Amino acid sequence: LLVLCVIALQGCHAAVTLTHVSSVLLPSSFIDASTKDVFLAGLKKPYIVDGSGGAAGVIMTEVTETGTPEYFPDFQGKIAVSQMLKGGAEQTAWHGAYKLIVSVGEGGILSLVDASNALLKVHQAIDLNSTLTDVEVCGDHIVVTAEGPQGKAGFGKMHILKIDPITKKATQLLYSPLDTGHLPDMLHISTSCKVIAVANEGEATFDAADKFINPEGSVSVYTFTSLDTAPTSTEKVEFQKFNAAARQYVQMGVFWVLRPDNMAAWMDASDCTFSKDLEPEYLAFSSDENTIYVNLQENNAVVTIDITNSSAPELGGLFPLGFQSWADYKIDTSDKDGGVHMVNYPGVFGLGQPDTMKLFAHGGEDYVVVAMEGDAKEYKSNSGDHEWTEEQKGAAFAAKMSEDAPSGLAEALADKTQLARVRITSARGAVGEGSNMTFDDAVYDKVFLYGARGFNIYKANAEGLSQVYTSGDAVEHYHMTHFAEIYNSEMNEDDFSEILRAGHDSRSDNKGSEPEGLAVATLSSGKRVVFVGSERTSVIGVFDISDPASPIFQSAIASGDSSVSFQAGFMAGGLRANMDPEDMHFIPAAESPLATDTLLVVGALNGVINLYTIDSAESEERSTYVTEKAAYVAKNDAGATKKTAADWDCQAGAGGKSKVLEHFTMVGMKLADFNPFLSAGDVEEVPAANTCLGRNDQFNCLDFPSVFSGMSLAQGSVGGSAVFFGVSDNGPNNGCGNLATGATMHVTDAGGKAFPVQNFSPIIAAVTLNSNGLVERQSSCYLKLKDGSPASGMPTSPSDDTPFGPNCQTAQLSYDHNGFDPEDVHQIPGTPYCWAVEEYSPSAVVFNCDMSDSNMCGVVEARYVPESVKLESAGYKVHSILPDVYTHRRKNRGFEGGGVSPDGKLAYAFMQSPMLGDDDNTILRFLEFDISDPLNAKVIGEYLYRGEDPAVVGNWASSNVAKDLKISGAQWYGEDMSNKHLLVLERANDQVKVFLVDLSSATNVLTMPDSATLSYEIAPAAFAAKYAASVKTATKTIVFDTATTEGWTYSMKQEGFTLLNDCVMAFGDDNDFGLEGNTEAGGGTVEV
């Protein structure tokens, strides 16, 4: 009956995810038993009754799945009918003390649902005989807003009911209902239950005589001493005071839709004033409850009202919410382009026009989050003789664009695969707007679409609102990436036999997935999140907004089975989950019938209420996000085929020694192929005698790519093409002390480094090996900050190498807290993330490596640094959790080996070389992390690794000293999580070895006093004498040695390696971009 597709984009364990638990179908109307057959025969939409159903109905009492209600509340002797699109439920409220869900819908039924446990049951249903618009609870009282007898053309009503604490049933109070303004759309109650505010939309309509009327929008403010008695004051706040400055407000960005200059001939100018065009949709109270923020959806603005004295409310300011430029974000605007095509359009803007608005406090200040749904105004008389709309399709603007419009915009507006079909307002964007011109006469230099297809966050106070965040194209993007089959789809209200995925792409020309519902929650874990419900696709996205200026996408869930028809899904007990999640509420664990953080969601189209558990803690189940789904685009040589892991079997060399099976070379590429934001000016030319082996134009010449500072086999490669992940280091650079003789240097500090490409951003690349002996890039991205801007490869602090320009001929360059020097990379199973270790600081880094998502790929999500390291200007989350002793690493000798367990719960970071201490010490440290929550990893272990002592004859083939020892890579070995085994690549001058390392008997020194000092960094003999009884280093067994490998004639700078099967390894050469003589046949290489 219910299929849920869940994707988690924040590390699964750490991510906030939703799990559906139970549902209840609510009645949309009552009928008399005597007229039942006639009534049901006339229904065209799917329905369910609680008695014997008609041909399209089912018998509710025969549906026994968990969560389906048994209808035995008091229906006054009538039969309850639940019908699609008939308003069984639209708005809800939660009563924690009584464990009641209270719900209303357009059908006129107020439902009280018993939520004392997961089996939700309708406890009471009351027919209020009106279109109900909102409901809230406070204490023992329920407050409901409704249209009045004249509908939109007359005043509305506010019903107040009291709940009996014994029976938990509600009865309307004698003084109820109260009058409201026209079309009360939303209400809010103060925490004291003494002030109620109602947003009266005042939407224009035609009355019973078919006369066009446009009431003033308003906010009604009621003051009570107790809700048991009638209000002591009722005040209505209208907006006429804004009329005098209407044009100034329009210039500021407030959208005046129906104006005297664009009204129809059959309208009266008095119905087209600025104040009558302002339509309150939603409202929120400030934290101190002295200010009401009133959302004017169609006008893309917010009004403030001071209710410090609620008996005398004062109208405050009118503030525009700004526009979204689709030149800055991507959007799909056509349902005729053959699928998903998100592109940028200069000169095209989104109006925003938010629906739901939620307020929360952060750092002593108020913020509002709004769902930028969008909405057009259109009016049609009852007779059909009169009609007015602002909405036009893009094609109507193609010939109306001025010479000042962006190049190509007119052509895009004429193209049905681009903008020709998208809905655009004619009431904004015209040159000389407001000059009494008709649409036929108007000329436009820009166009405005409805909504912004996401959500925004604003800092709010009585002086106005200032935007701190926009989701841009993120909502549409997670639909595209993870719910492609229902991307921008909607239900076909004319054919309920159709399935949801049949509507794929059908809403791209009209507000997309249409974000509408919101809920803000502070979870038991301490995270603050916002749930974003998309009306058309019924997808709910989750974002961490603990930092309002930098939300982090957590997960998304799609409700219902998109392969089942709407009628079949509804008829199966109504349980097609939340179709149109219009209203959502957070239920804290202490109040929840599920005894955990819970999300209450109402499906407005099918009248179903749903409960979801909210999980942000570790569990045994992991969601199935796998990066092998990334759409790699192969660019193989003609006739070449990709190698698979199965192409290499166990072939020993002579005498059973290791043997090189194949050698692959990476083709030359330009730096800008990896960093597309680079321009020629970003790559400084350096004197030809001292550069890049004679290449004095690194930007335009084919460069020596360097993507094997770290290397691992991508998930999914065992059964298909062997895809390898590799990382570059910090980019082209060379040590000042290594420059060619005769170079004119600005400094003589040999510890400095030259950075000829200061804007370079480190690379993550997916590569394959082909049958022609080539390494081929399939996809790549570069490290990015949370705002999408590139990270850099520049040193972070004076503890790193001093940065200079080309050949160290410039003054010292600035350090950069957003600089990285990655040296190893591993995917974290079940997530879109990679674990990388790097040399600056040193640190471990979690970043997005989902190659199918070009916007998110490379985004740094978390960086783990030593306790005393504070990267204040970092554009990502920094966790100072590593032992501070790691700040004593040698320059340019930080972490270089990593590793992640197959279950994604453990990760490692190995120091490249012995830290400062005795010059002949051979102890290298490494850390163990719990990454069940990759974005909040914990250090849980520290171990010691004894490097091969150069003083021992036979350990190394050539002369080495202790500081020449380097660990350049590591990876987990085996599938048994109870046995911690790692493969570690150790190298010195002219030789590479790989060891199988066993941690089972190694001492975890993390909490030992000596681990906080350099006590372990002493000569081997001294270490053995001092720690023989108390500290055991990890045991190691050699499994590979280049000195004994048949056919090994390659570079010894093997910094990347990975295991293909039990006896075959692949090694990747770090050629340092060819800057220090290591070109290895023109590019990076892989030896198998």
Side-chain angles (χ1 to χ4, degrees), residues 17 36 59 90 102 122 180 250 264 303 325 340 342 354 409 460 514 526 550 653 680 704 734 791 845 958 963 972 1082:
T17 58
K36 178 192 68 176
I59 301 173
E90 185 170 339
V102 184
V122 176
T180 68
V250 170
V303 163
S325 171
V340 181
M342 293 180 66
L409 180 54
E514 223 164 306
S550 185
F704 295 102
N734 43 2
V845 182
S958 61
K963 68 179 181 180
W972 183 281

Side-chain angles (χ1 to χ4, degrees), residues 794-1017:
M794 300 298 288
T796 59
S797 73
S799 66
D800 304 315
D801 293 305
T802 307
F804 297 96
N807 281 345
C808 300
Q809 291 178 333
T810 67
Q812 179 180 326
L813 303 176
S814 298
Y815 294 104
D816 184 3
H817 287 177
N818 295 309
F820 296 87
D821 186 6
E823 296 293 346
D824 203 2
V825 63
H826 297 268
Q827 288 175 280
I828 303 175
T831 81
Y833 298 125
C834 279
W835 175 264
V837 294
E838 66 93 44
E839 298 200 73
Y840 296 151
S841 296
S843 68
V845 182
V846 175
F847 66 92
N848 189 302
C849 55
D850 177 6
M851 294 288 177
S852 68
D853 189 339
S854 59
N855 285 340
M856 294 301 296
C857 187
V859 172
V860 176
E861 300 288 354
R863 187 175 191 175
Y864 301 98
V865 300
E867 293 170 348
S868 64
V869 175
K870 309 298 179 186
L871 303 177
E872 293 89 352
S873 58
Y876 46 83
K877 186 82 99 172
V878 177
H879 303 262
S880 300
I881 63 168
L882 309 188
D884 225 32
V885 69
Y886 286 81
T887 60
H888 294 288
R889 95 279 191 241
R890 303 173 191 272
K891 283 191 176 183
N892 199 36
R893 296 291 179 89
F895 291 136
E896 185 137 344
V900 172
S901 62
D903 64 356
K905 293 185 177 182
L906 297 176
Y908 296 87
F910 282 79
M911 291 298 289
Q912 180 183 11
S913 296
M915 288 195 287
L916 297 173
D918 290 354
D919 286 342
D920 54 355
N921 93 81
T922 61
I923 293 296
L924 298 94
R925 303 194 191 202
F926 63 101
L927 293 173
E928 183 179 55
F929 296 79
D930 177 353
I931 59 165
S932 299
D933 178 349
L935 305 189
N936 293 284
K938 299 178 178 64
V939 178
I940 60 172
E942 182 182 27
Y943 300 93
L944 305 182
Y945 176 98
R946 188 191 298 274
E948 295 294 276
D949 189 352
V952 177
V953 177
N955 276 353
W956 299 101
S958 61
S959 176
N960 289 278
V961 294
K963 68 179 181 180
D964 292 326
L965 293 177
K966 300 180 183 72
I967 288 179
S968 289
Q971 72 167 73
W972 183 281
Y973 174 75
E975 296 295 328
D976 185 354
M977 299 300 104
S978 64
N979 292 320
K980 297 178 182 178
H981 290 96
L982 297 162
L983 288 170
V984 176
L985 187 155
E986 186 177 338
R987 64 186 180 90
N989 296 326
D990 302 321
Q991 196 170 350
V992 176
K993 297 183 179 183
V994 176
F995 294 90
L996 180 62
V997 176
D998 184 355
L999 301 189
S1000 60
S1001 61
T1003 303
N1004 184 344
V1005 301
L1006 183 63
T1007 60
M1008 291 185 173
D1010 282 356
S1011 72
T1013 69
L1014 293 172
S1015 298
Y1016 300 134
E1017 281 72 18

Side-chain angles (χ1 to χ4, degrees), residues 658-665 773 987-992 1040-1043 1045-1055 1065-1071 1077-1088:
S658 302
K659 172 185 177 181
V660 176
L661 300 179
E662 291 191 75
H663 174 76
F664 302 83
T665 301
R987 64 186 180 90
N989 296 326
D990 302 321
Q991 196 170 350
V992 176
F1040 174 82
D1041 187 348
T1042 55
T1045 298
E1046 181 181 320
W1048 189 278
T1049 59
Y1050 309 107
S1051 161
M1052 296 301 174
K1053 204 166 191 304
Q1054 307 299 319
E1055 294 196 3
M1065 291 181 187
F1067 293 84
D1069 167 66
D1070 175 19
N1071 67 352
N1078 178 19
T1079 61
E1080 197 59 42
T1085 65
V1086 173
E1087 287 75 44
V1088 178

Side-chain angles (χ1 to χ4, degrees), residues 25-91:
L25 177 68
L26 299 187
S28 56
S29 58
F30 293 135
I31 57 174
D32 291 316
S34 60
T35 61
K36 178 192 68 176
D37 293 339
V38 175
F39 178 84
L40 297 179
L43 296 183
K44 296 181 180 180
K45 298 179 174 64
Y47 65 87
I48 296 173
V49 298
D50 70 308
S52 58
V58 298
I59 301 173
M60 179 58 80
T61 54
E62 291 183 358
V63 184
T64 58
E65 284 74 13
T66 299
T68 301
E70 299 173 22
Y71 275 91
F72 29 67
D74 180 9
F75 287 141
Q76 296 88 41
K78 296 185 177 182
I79 295 174
V81 178
S82 300
Q83 190 181 4
M84 286 186 72
L85 306 177
K86 282 298 182 181
E90 185 170 339
Q91 297 294 317

Side-chain angles (χ1 to χ4, degrees), residues 172-443:
Q172 189 152 198
L173 296 174
L174 292 177
Y175 71 84
S176 172
L178 302 172
D179 284 339
T180 68
H182 287 75
L183 187 55
D185 203 38
M186 191 265 179
L187 71 95
H188 195 74
I189 310 176
S190 68
T191 53
S192 67
C193 304
K194 294 183 178 181
V195 178
I196 299 177
V198 176
N200 304 305
E201 189 168 1
E203 185 177 305
T205 188
F206 290 84
D207 64 13
D210 225 9
K211 182 181 184 301
F212 181 75
I213 60 170
N214 190 6
E216 295 280 352
S218 63
V219 174
S220 297
V221 180
Y222 306 83
T223 303
F224 298 80
T225 54
S226 166
L227 289 178
D228 286 332
T229 57
T232 56
S233 71
T234 301
E235 302 293 332
K236 186 163 64 174
V237 181
E238 296 182 340
F239 309 128
Q240 289 93 334
K241 89 165 191 177
F242 297 132
N243 284 335
R247 291 298 172 190
Q248 289 91 319
Y249 286 118
V250 170
Q251 291 172 2
M252 291 166 56
V254 179
F255 187 25
W256 184 1
V257 186
L258 178 59
R259 310 183 300 263
D261 62 286
N262 67 2
M263 70 179 192
W266 43 266
M267 293 178 176
D268 191 291
S270 64
D271 284 322
C272 304
T273 63
F274 183 60
S275 61
K276 286 189 174 183
D277 198 62
L278 303 180
E279 297 183 359
E281 180 86 14
Y282 218 92
L283 49 80
F285 284 7
S286 60
S287 295
D288 61 10
E289 299 192 334
N290 288 331
T291 302
I292 305 176
Y293 297 98
V294 185
N295 173 25
L296 311 173
Q297 179 173 17
E298 289 84 351
N299 313 105
N300 196 39
V302 165
V303 163
T304 59
I305 299 174
D306 185 345
I307 56 167
T308 304
N309 179 0
S310 60
S311 297
E314 297 182 6
L315 182 60
L318 173 59
F319 307 102
L321 292 177
F323 308 122
Q324 175 125 301
S325 171
W326 290 115
D328 300 329
Y329 299 98
K330 294 183 178 181
I331 184 173
D332 186 343
T333 55
S334 176
D335 59 341
K336 300 296 182 183
D337 57 359
V340 181
H341 294 93
M342 293 180 66
V343 295
N344 302 102
Y345 287 110
V348 179
F349 297 85
L351 279 167
Q353 299 178 309
D355 187 327
T356 304
M357 175 172 63
K358 298 292 184 180
L359 184 139
F360 64 93
H362 173 78
E365 296 183 286
D366 283 347
Y367 292 80
V368 292
V369 55
V370 290
M372 310 301 266
E373 178 193 24
D375 200 10
K377 291 190 177 186
E378 54 184 339
Y379 311 110
K380 188 174 183 178
S381 64
N382 302 318
S383 64
D385 295 337
H386 296 314
E387 190 170 357
W388 182 93
T389 181
E390 57 168 304
E391 184 180 288
Q392 300 284 343
K393 289 192 175 182
F397 293 82
K400 303 176 73 62
M401 303 311 295
S402 75
E403 294 179 355
D404 295 328
S407 175
L409 180 54
E411 291 77 7
L413 287 163
D415 186 347
K416 71 177 183 180
T417 68
Q418 297 189 66
L419 295 169
R421 294 179 56 78
V422 73
R423 273 60 166 180
I424 297 175
T425 179
S426 62
R428 186 97 204 185
V431 178
E433 191 172 293
S435 302
N436 295 316
M437 66 181 73
T438 65
F439 177 66
D440 291 338
D441 299 328
V443 175

Side-chain angles (χ1 to χ4, degrees), residues 3-20 474-486 531-532 538-543 552-559 612-613 615 621-627 629 830-833 848 850 852-853 856:
V3 177
L4 300 177
C5 174
V6 180
I7 56 99
L9 294 186
Q10 216 48 298
C12 300
H13 287 348
V16 178
T17 58
L18 295 172
T19 302
H20 186 271
V475 172
E476 195 140 312
H477 217 278
Y478 65 66
H479 277 82
M480 175 189 73
T481 307
H482 306 293
F483 303 111
E485 75 279 2
I486 59 170
F531 301 94
V532 182
S538 299
V539 170
I540 300 174
V542 190
F543 289 79
I552 302 170
F553 180 41
Q554 299 288 289
S555 65
I557 185 168
S559 295
Y612 294 80
T613 56
D615 182 17
E621 297 295 324
R622 297 183 67 89
S623 58
T624 54
Y625 182 101
V626 286
T627 314
K629 291 181 179 178
T831 81
Y833 298 125
N848 189 302
D850 177 6
S852 68
D853 189 339
M856 294 301 296

